[in-house]
Amino acid sequence: MDYSYFQISEQALEVVFPEQIDVQENKLIQLVARKLIEEKAVGVIGVIPAYHTLTVNFDYDLTSYHDLIDEIDTLIETSDSEQSTEKTIVELPVCYDREFGPDLDDVANFASISVDELIKLHSSTDYFIYMMGFLPGFAYMGSVPENIAMPRLEVPRKKIAPGSVGIAGAQTGMYPVESPGGWRLIGRTPVKLYDVTDPVLKYKSGDYIRFKPITKDEYFAIQAQDEAGEFQLNVIKEGGESND
């Protein structure tokens, strides 16, 4: 696989892969990032995997730029053939209602389809989580069907409710906390995605999210269960059984 290096500073370098949204490329980036941490690579103090880059922070008193490059080269060569075919799918309930999805009609019109067809399209794909960022628990995922890949709003909203599900070009994602944002909102999940008192996330980079359409009544019922600590997301291992 083609890639190159860029020295960001005395103690940081970036591994740059082809600029694309590609699942296999991103899986390799995440695998190399995990190995650098799990195998306690000498001098490595942090890694930041992204869509097509891997930033590595290191202590220049413990390793050098060139020594670290040699180690990363070796990891890439060995990891490229070690990628797991296992698929972890987190099923997330979403209510696609105009109350929760103010951009439903605009996205449907953009795609020249009905709102029902839009909901079916958006919920019929398992979305790979390429990276986490922007907000705690915000997952950058892709790719949505091409005809519904509507660009961001020209003027972002000042306030978006937690759990809102949106589209930004080929990407889709959920706002885990209240935030400004410019994504096209088409629904909302009743599940609390991030809790500052218990910040362990329900999903991670490398997982897949499957949106499950629910009614408004189901939304409020699940929200009550979730607030009471009685709701558990369904997690599916591809080729295996769910945790229901």
Side-chain angles (χ1 to χ4, degrees):
M1 179 175 288
D2 293 333
Y3 60 93
S4 58
Y5 291 96
F6 177 74
Q7 186 165 3
I8 298 174
S9 69
E10 289 183 339
Q11 298 191 96
L13 64 82
E14 188 173 65
V15 193
V16 182
F17 292 82
E19 188 173 350
Q20 59 186 344
I21 298 179
D22 181 80
V23 172
Q24 293 309 314
E25 178 180 284
N26 190 263
K27 282 184 175 182
L28 175 60
I29 290 169
Q30 293 188 41
L31 182 56
V32 172
R34 284 199 304 273
K35 284 189 172 185
L36 285 169
I37 297 301
E38 292 171 358
E39 297 178 8
K40 299 179 179 179
V42 176
V44 172
I45 57 178
V47 295
I48 307 172
Y51 270 116
H52 68 97
T53 63
L54 173 62
T55 301
V56 182
N57 298 306
F58 61 93
D59 186 336
Y60 65 81
D61 287 330
L62 300 177
T63 189
S64 70
Y65 176 76
H66 295 291
D67 286 344
L68 190 52
I69 282 179
D70 289 341
E71 184 158 7
I72 294 172
D73 281 342
T74 300
L75 282 177
I76 290 174
E77 289 173 8
T78 57
S79 299
D80 199 18
S81 60
E82 293 178 12
Q83 295 186 51
S84 173
T85 57
E86 185 178 72
K87 185 176 179 180
T88 299
I89 304 165
V90 180
E91 196 173 65
L92 192 68
V94 173
C95 181
Y96 295 90
D97 185 270
R98 288 178 177 84
E99 178 183 346
F100 303 138
D103 298 316
L104 267 172
D105 290 308
D106 287 343
V107 178
N109 290 336
F110 173 82
S112 299
I113 57 177
S114 68
V115 168
D116 286 344
E117 289 172 314
L118 166 60
I119 294 168
K120 185 177 181 180
L121 271 177
H122 186 258
S123 60
S124 64
T125 299
D126 293 337
Y127 297 104
F128 182 74
I129 301 178
Y130 287 90
M131 65 178 187
M132 310 291 288
F134 171 52
L135 296 167
F138 193 100
Y140 286 88
M141 307 184 297
S143 297
V144 300
E146 187 176 353
N147 62 326
I148 65 171
M150 191 173 185
R152 291 174 173 83
L153 293 168
E154 290 185 8
V155 179
R157 292 182 171 91
K158 294 180 179 179
K159 184 187 293 186
I160 291 176
S164 295
V165 175
I167 287 173
Q171 303 172 110
T172 189
M174 307 83 68
Y175 285 84
V177 295
E178 184 179 290
S179 165
W183 290 36
R184 305 280 179 169
L185 306 182
I186 59 173
R188 191 183 303 169
T189 178
V191 178
K192 191 171 187 177
L193 300 175
Y194 180 77
D195 186 347
V196 68
T197 64
D198 183 18
V200 178
L201 297 175
K202 299 174 174 64
Y203 44 82
K204 64 183 184 303
S205 296
D207 289 345
Y208 288 80
I209 295 291
R210 177 180 295 170
F211 294 116
K212 179 182 179 181
I214 57 172
T215 65
K216 251 179 145 178
D217 287 343
E218 290 173 322
Y219 176 95
F220 292 114
I222 292 173
Q223 186 179 58
Q225 292 176 336
D226 189 55
E227 290 175 352
E230 298 171 354
F231 182 79
Q232 185 176 5
L233 288 175
N234 189 31
V235 179
I236 303 164
K237 297 290 186 180
E238 187 179 60
E241 298 180 353
S242 72
N243 66 350
D244 277 357

